[in-house]
Amino acid sequence: MMATRAKKPRRPILKKPSNPSLRDPVGVYCRVRPLSRPEQECCIEVISDTTVQMHPPDGYRIFRNGEYRETQYSFKEVFGTLVVQKKVFDVVAKPLVEDLIRGKNGLLFTYGVTGSGKTHTMTGSPGDGGLLPRCLDMIFNSIGPFQAKRFVFKLDDKNGVDVQCEVDALLERQKRDVMPVPKPTPGKRQIDPEIADMINVQDQCKVEEVDEDNVYCVFVSYIEIYNNYIYDLLEEAPFDPIKPKPPQSKILREDQNHNMYVTGCTEVEVKSTEEAFEVFWRGQKKRRIANTQLNRESSRSHSVFIIKLAQAPLDADGDKVLQEKEQITLSQLSLVDLAGSERTNRTKAEGNRLREAGNINQSLMTLRTCIEVLRENQMYGLNKMVPYRDSKLTHLFKNYFDGEGKVRMIVCVNPKAEDYEESLQVMRFAEMTQEVEVARPVDRPLCGLTPGRRFRNQAFQEELSRKLEMRGGPVDAETEEQSVLETILQNFPPLPACELLDINDDQTLPKLIEVLEKRHKLRQMLIKEFSKAVLTFKTVLQEFDCSVASKENYIKGRLSEKEKTIAGQKTEIERLEKKIKTLEYKIEILEKTATIYEEDKRNLQQELESKSQKLQRQASDKRRLEARFQGMVAETTMKWEKECERRVAAKQLEMQNKLWVKDEKLKQLKAIVTEPKSDKPERPSRERDREKPVQRSVSPSPVPNAPPVRLRHRRSRSAGERWVDHKPPSNLPTETVMQPHVPHAITVAAASEKALAKCDKYMLTHQELASDGEIETKLIKGDVFKTRGGGQAVQFTDIETLKQESPTGRKRRSSPSHPDPPEDAAESEWTDVETRCSVAVEMRAGSALGPGYEHHAQPKRRKP
């Protein structure tokens, strides 16, 4: 059994600092290209600097059943058909170049359908350069005098950069000079006439406030993503005419800072705009393009041009690059020209073109999915995994969306009617992209060295050269020594011949002595002049030291002021950081509170939904029961109506027979009565009484919701209370001595709500036929009270009966006799009480007597 080796713990990864609390939205811009032909129908209109409006073309409206719907989309800025390339560069790309020189990353990509002007916006055309050449020109205009020599900066294979000493850089340059490869010629370059007009930018745009104590170096690389494979467009593969090798795809890797890079990609160090654009154009010729139905030169791959800027500070003397890797800053700007989304039924693509279109659409769909997931995570606080690895395009740029730099997108649209549906999808994607926010990267730390080192060193060198030139000697030390020796030798007198011919020669030695004395004097004179020159030089050096000291004092004073300003800013930053922490704590509390409230809201919504479902079920059950009860009520009502009709018909027949018998008896009685007394009025017959019915009060059907009446028998208490005396007009005067009299009463013929509201007692005078045929008057009394509906209701409590009888047992007259009654009214003066109609008191909802109460007085039946 083999022993398993313990797994080595992973070293913590140093992440590039970013500020997650400060976020910037993705800047989305729109550019509308002009129509190819003036007669083409336009479906996109620029209505303001930030808004475009899309309207369906005429054919589209006919195809869609005549629907016409205009939609507006807003962007950070909209560039119309007349906007020049410089305006687009100043608004979109210039801030990214400024951030690049300040050590921050940037991503700029163009997005749109095939033929919408993406490549024109990025590359440009002859005489009108696009964003890419203008970015290169601005970079070299800004860092031109501060560039390092070649091979001072050297990129490694792990997306990093090192600084080499001057000796190593010199060896690299000499090795490169020996290699049989084309070398950049010094001085003015011979530019390819094909691209000369694109990079001939006359604006001379540059970044202000470039750090002059740094040295800079630019590296460029150019790749393409074709069929979801990465290829290096700058790779110089050996050409084999017999068996050509296809280009090898590259692999994506992740460095120690979680930044993605392409392994083995060619990165070229460039020193000018012309050299950088020539490298780009060399790779552009290798890019895959094809002719389709929509575009004569349609890009079949996504191209990525990467500009890396390495910068490092100078040492304390301002002469050489600081040999510390921690002080090196490497920033990059990625310029991406995406291939256009297209529909195969419009491009008529087949074979390889069809496969290319499928891969293009798939990678763009993955980009859209990543943007959508990022938007949902940020808006709703979710933690979904963003599918960066589904495509090489999104995997390469995932660190930008994770907060490693600014992201800008230019949406290019073609306003022609044929591209309406594709442009609509592009607009929706752009609208969604604007809602994604990217963390703002923090500024790089200061190196801590004294600023102005480069210019101090240059001033010293210039001053030294000027002083040496004033002395009349050249700057080179070896040349100066040779010129001094030559001058001294020329000023000395020549030595005479020193050969002694004999002992008595007394001329040679004196001449030699004389010459040597002259030389001695000349030497003393030169020594004095040299001493004077030394003193003069010392004086100059002292003056220079004094000037340097004064400048140092001035710089120290300025530096102390700057330090005070920095200290004040640090204090302010600390205060703001404390404030930020306090606000973050408050935000955290509010987020927790909002989470609790959202949970409560969800619970209440669930409870509300359950209760609403329960209420709906109850309502449906109620409706079902109501329908069932209505059917039962209708059936029962019909049944009882038929039974009542049958009983009424039988009772009518029985009563008609009884009335016929009584009429016959009355006729006989009338004959007996009228015989002895001829002056007495004639009793009206039953037939005439039936012909003239007594007026009845309207009595509607009972209301089922009327409150039940509690019958209470008590004595009448009329004293001190307000009464409503209801006397129906159908009542007959009785001419009795005792008449009902209630003080403080309101006498009405029909009960009204106004009268009931003023009183608290109610009395109904009701007449009906007694069992002996006499009129019986009943005083029905009740209490008046208010109902919930705002009306008045009567609860009957007591009944008093007034009855009148004849001592002879005969029926009385119900009305006073007239001295000379007409002949036709003789029968109507005698009334049979049995044929009189009953009276009723009605109280229903909304009527004058209150809500829904009814009282009916039914006549008593006489026993047969």
Side-chain angles (χ1 to χ4, degrees):
M1 183 176 180
M2 296 179 61
T4 59
R5 187 171 59 182
K7 188 175 181 180
K8 184 177 179 181
R10 188 176 182 181
R11 187 174 60 183
I13 296 174
L14 299 176
K15 182 71 174 173
K16 189 171 181 179
S18 61
N19 196 345
S21 61
L22 298 177
R23 290 181 171 271
D24 295 321
V26 175
V28 181
Y29 304 84
C30 180
R31 188 176 192 187
V32 183
R33 67 160 291 175
L35 291 172
S36 302
R37 298 188 304 276
E39 66 273 8
Q40 281 184 321
E41 184 183 1
C42 181
C43 64
I44 298 177
E45 179 184 0
V46 179
I47 61 177
S48 70
D49 292 339
T50 58
T51 309
V52 296
Q53 179 173 288
M54 295 188 63
H55 53 82
D58 295 333
Y60 184 84
R61 293 198 298 273
I62 294 172
F63 181 74
R64 297 291 184 179
N65 299 325
E67 294 181 0
Y68 186 85
R69 182 183 179 186
E70 295 179 348
T71 53
Q72 293 184 359
Y73 298 92
S74 298
F75 299 89
K76 198 169 184 179
E77 190 159 343
V78 175
F79 305 105
T81 56
L82 302 178
V83 176
V84 296
Q85 297 274 44
K86 183 181 183 303
K87 175 67 179 300
V88 180
F89 169 77
D90 291 340
V91 175
V92 183
K94 187 176 179 180
L96 295 179
V97 176
E98 293 174 350
D99 287 345
L100 176 71
I101 295 179
R102 294 188 179 98
K104 299 178 183 177
N105 298 334
L107 171 63
L108 172 62
F109 61 95
T110 55
Y111 182 84
V113 300
T114 299
S116 58
K118 302 183 298 298
T119 304
H120 172 76
T121 301
M122 186 62 69
T123 308
S125 57
D128 191 14
L131 299 180
L132 191 147
R134 291 177 185 271
C135 288
L136 293 172
D137 189 68
M138 182 176 179
I139 290 171
F140 287 106
N141 287 340
S142 303
I143 68 170
F146 313 120
Q147 291 191 72
K149 296 180 180 179
R150 288 185 186 272
F151 302 110
V152 172
F153 290 94
K154 186 177 181 181
L155 298 176
D156 57 19
D157 297 334
K158 298 181 180 178
N159 203 29
V161 63
D162 294 324
V163 178
Q164 295 191 123
C165 63
E166 292 291 341
V167 177
D168 294 337
L170 181 60
L171 291 175
E172 289 278 352
R173 288 195 293 272
Q174 292 176 354
K175 187 186 301 183
R176 184 172 179 271
D177 292 338
V178 173
M179 292 176 63
V181 293
K183 300 180 289 295
T185 58
K188 189 171 182 63
R189 300 177 55 85
Q190 297 297 326
I191 306 174
D192 188 353
E194 187 178 4
I195 61 174
D197 292 337
M198 292 188 184
I199 60 177
N200 187 15
V201 182
Q202 303 295 332
D203 301 332
Q204 294 296 323
C205 184
K206 61 187 298 185
V207 178
E208 301 295 335
E209 299 180 357
V210 178
D211 193 351
E212 298 165 346
D213 293 322
N214 284 2
V215 289
Y216 301 87
C217 185
V218 178
F219 299 89
V220 295
S221 58
Y222 198 18
I223 63 172
E224 72 170 352
I225 302 175
Y226 175 72
N227 287 340
N228 207 24
Y229 289 99
I230 300 176
Y231 297 97
D232 184 6
L233 295 176
L234 302 180
E235 187 176 22
E236 297 292 342
F239 178 70
D240 189 357
I242 300 175
K243 189 177 180 182
K245 294 182 180 180
Q248 295 294 321
S249 62
K250 303 298 180 182
I251 301 174
L252 276 177
R253 294 192 185 277
E254 192 175 43
D255 63 8
Q256 62 178 0
N257 293 324
H258 282 291
N259 294 328
M260 304 306 301
Y261 70 98
V262 181
T263 307
C265 178
T266 304
E267 294 176 309
V268 182
E269 182 179 359
V270 290
K271 295 297 179 184
S272 65
T273 305
E274 294 80 6
E275 183 182 356
F277 200 75
E278 279 187 2
V279 172
F280 164 76
W281 199 252
R282 190 168 73 243
Q284 185 76 359
K285 293 179 179 179
K286 297 181 182 180
R287 190 180 176 189
R288 292 172 173 85
I289 59 175
N291 185 8
T292 64
Q293 292 289 332
L294 300 181
N295 192 356
R296 186 170 56 87
E297 294 183 356
S298 176
S299 302
R300 312 310 296 167
S301 63
H302 309 299
S303 67
V304 183
F305 188 75
I306 301 174
I307 305 172
K308 287 186 178 181
L309 180 65
Q311 51 184 310
L314 293 172
D315 56 8
D317 296 332
D319 188 21
K320 298 180 180 179
V321 183
L322 195 65
Q323 299 289 322
E324 293 181 9
K325 190 172 182 178
E326 293 77 10
Q327 297 293 337
I328 303 174
T329 302
L330 183 63
S331 55
Q332 77 176 33
L333 174 62
S334 299
L335 304 176
V336 185
D337 182 13
L338 296 177
S341 59
E342 58 187 29
R343 292 191 176 184
T344 55
N345 57 355
R346 294 187 60 202
T347 59
K348 309 300 181 185
E350 296 178 354
N352 290 334
R353 301 287 87 82
L354 182 62
R355 186 163 62 92
E356 292 167 357
N359 287 314
I360 291 171
N361 293 335
Q362 180 62 34
S363 61
L364 295 177
M365 182 60 66
T366 305
L367 175 62
R368 180 167 185 160
T369 304
C370 293
I371 294 293
E372 188 172 356
V373 173
L374 281 171
R375 170 178 166 272
E376 291 180 357
N377 289 343
Q378 293 176 5
M379 292 184 65
Y380 305 112
L382 304 177
N383 195 19
K384 291 184 180 179
M385 187 184 70
V386 183
Y388 291 120
R389 294 179 178 269
D390 291 353
S391 172
K392 291 290 194 303
L393 177 67
T394 54
H395 195 194
L396 179 61
F397 298 119
K398 82 177 189 65
N399 53 292
Y400 287 98
F401 293 101
D402 290 341
E404 295 297 332
K406 288 185 179 179
V407 181
R408 296 287 181 269
M409 180 176 74
I410 300 178
V411 175
C412 299
V413 292
N414 193 339
K416 66 179 182 180
E418 291 82 0
D419 290 347
Y420 171 74
E421 291 191 3
E422 289 87 346
S423 299
L424 194 63
Q425 297 297 327
V426 169
M427 291 294 184
R428 290 172 181 170
F429 171 67
E431 188 177 37
M432 179 179 61
T433 306
Q434 293 183 97
E435 299 177 358
V436 176
E437 294 182 346
V438 179
R440 185 184 304 172
V442 298
D443 296 329
R444 60 177 181 177
L446 299 175
C447 64
L449 296 176
T450 306
R453 304 182 299 280
R454 180 191 293 272
F455 285 120
R456 283 204 304 273
N457 184 47
Q458 290 179 358
F460 176 75
Q461 296 292 342
E462 291 173 359
E463 184 70 19
L464 183 60
S465 301
R466 187 178 64 82
K467 291 295 183 181
L468 293 174
E469 288 176 1
M470 288 175 61
R471 294 294 300 168
V475 179
D476 194 0
E478 296 179 357
T479 309
E480 183 180 1
E481 291 178 359
Q482 293 177 2
S483 62
V484 170
L485 291 174
E486 291 176 359
T487 304
I488 292 172
L489 292 174
Q490 288 175 1
N491 290 332
F492 279 111
L495 292 173
C498 300
E499 184 179 0
L500 296 177
L501 299 176
D502 56 3
I503 300 174
N504 297 320
D505 189 2
D506 54 353
Q507 294 181 0
T508 303
L509 290 176
K511 288 181 181 179
L512 181 60
I513 292 170
E514 184 181 358
V515 171
L516 291 174
E517 287 177 354
K518 287 182 180 180
R519 286 199 172 199
H520 181 70
K521 291 178 181 179
L522 184 60
R523 181 182 178 188
Q524 293 295 330
M525 183 179 63
L526 289 174
I527 290 172
K528 290 179 181 180
E529 290 180 1
F530 181 74
S531 300
K532 291 180 181 179
V534 169
L535 291 174
T536 306
F537 185 71
K538 285 183 179 180
T539 305
V540 172
L541 285 178
Q542 288 176 357
E543 292 176 357
F544 183 72
D545 290 339
C546 292
S547 64
V548 169
S550 63
K551 289 182 179 179
E552 285 182 354
N553 293 331
Y554 173 73
I555 291 172
K556 286 180 180 178
R558 294 293 303 275
L559 184 60
S560 62
E561 293 178 1
K562 295 290 184 182
E563 287 177 351
K564 290 180 181 178
T565 305
I566 292 172
Q569 291 178 353
K570 285 183 179 179
T571 306
E572 182 67 17
I573 289 171
E574 290 176 357
R575 186 184 66 81
L576 292 176
E577 285 179 351
K578 291 180 181 179
K579 187 175 180 180
I580 288 171
K581 288 181 180 179
T582 305
L583 293 176
E584 287 177 350
Y585 178 70
K586 290 182 179 179
I587 289 172
E588 185 178 357
I589 293 175
L590 291 176
E591 287 178 349
K592 291 181 180 178
T593 307
T595 305
I596 294 172
Y597 285 159
E598 288 178 356
E599 186 67 25
D600 294 342
K601 180 182 176 182
R602 285 194 293 268
N603 295 333
L604 291 175
Q605 285 179 348
Q606 292 177 359
E607 185 177 355
L608 179 62
E609 290 176 357
S610 62
K611 288 189 176 181
S612 59
Q613 291 176 359
K614 184 177 179 181
L615 287 175
Q616 289 177 358
R617 289 196 299 270
Q618 291 178 355
S620 62
D621 295 341
K622 183 179 179 182
R623 287 193 296 269
R624 199 161 50 245
L625 289 174
E626 284 180 353
R628 181 179 176 186
F629 287 154
Q630 286 177 359
M632 293 174 63
V633 168
E635 183 179 356
T636 307
T637 303
M638 187 180 299
K639 179 179 178 181
W640 280 106
E641 283 179 354
K642 291 181 180 179
E643 181 67 19
C644 290
E645 288 176 358
R646 185 185 63 79
R647 291 185 181 182
V648 167
K651 184 60 70 175
Q652 283 180 352
L653 182 61
E654 181 183 354
M655 294 302 294
Q656 284 177 2
N657 293 332
K658 289 182 179 181
L659 286 175
W660 182 78
V661 173
K662 287 185 178 182
D663 286 341
E664 291 298 326
K665 291 181 179 179
L666 286 173
K667 286 179 183 179
Q668 294 176 4
L669 182 61
K670 181 179 179 181
I672 295 172
V673 172
T674 54
E675 282 180 0
K677 295 180 181 181
S678 58
D679 56 345
K680 196 169 183 177
E682 190 176 319
R683 175 78 175 180
S685 66
R686 280 286 184 184
E687 299 297 329
R688 295 184 62 180
D689 288 342
R690 281 197 298 271
E691 290 175 2
K692 300 178 69 176
V694 182
Q695 182 182 1
R696 297 188 181 189
S697 62
V698 180
S699 178
S701 61
V703 179
N705 293 330
V709 178
R710 293 187 297 107
L711 300 178
R712 294 184 298 169
H713 301 280
R714 62 182 182 181
R715 295 188 303 111
S716 174
R717 296 182 301 164
S718 60
E721 295 176 344
R722 195 77 181 272
W723 288 78
V724 175
D725 188 5
H726 182 190
K727 293 183 179 180
S730 60
N731 286 359
L732 300 176
T734 57
E735 297 181 352
T736 57
V737 177
M738 298 180 64
Q739 292 287 340
H741 175 69
V742 180
H744 307 291
I746 300 176
T747 304
V748 295
S752 64
E753 186 176 0
K754 183 177 180 181
L756 291 173
K758 296 179 180 180
C759 303
D760 53 1
K761 295 291 183 179
Y762 172 80
M763 182 178 71
L764 171 65
T765 303
H766 173 59
Q767 292 182 345
E768 64 180 10
L769 189 65
S771 60
D772 54 357
E774 296 294 335
I775 296 176
E776 186 178 69
T777 303
K778 290 186 178 181
L779 304 179
I780 304 172
K781 297 183 291 182
D783 297 331
V784 180
F785 60 90
K786 292 184 179 180
T787 62
R788 292 183 179 179
Q792 305 293 328
V794 177
Q795 181 177 359
F796 293 108
T797 58
D798 198 4
I799 299 177
E800 295 183 5
T801 304
L802 302 178
K803 191 174 180 182
Q804 180 181 7
E805 295 182 357
S806 175
T808 59
R810 294 183 57 187
K811 298 179 181 178
R812 65 177 182 85
R813 297 179 61 182
S814 60
S815 60
S817 60
H818 299 279
D820 297 320
E823 185 178 357
D824 57 350
E827 294 181 0
S828 64
E829 292 178 355
W830 289 88
T831 305
D832 187 359
V833 182
E834 188 178 15
T835 63
R836 292 181 181 180
C837 298
S838 61
V839 296
V841 177
E842 301 176 0
M843 300 181 187
R844 71 177 68 179
S847 67
L849 289 179
Y853 181 80
E854 298 176 356
H855 171 72
H856 299 273
Q858 300 292 340
K860 294 183 179 180
R861 293 184 181 179
R862 295 184 61 185
K863 295 181 180 181

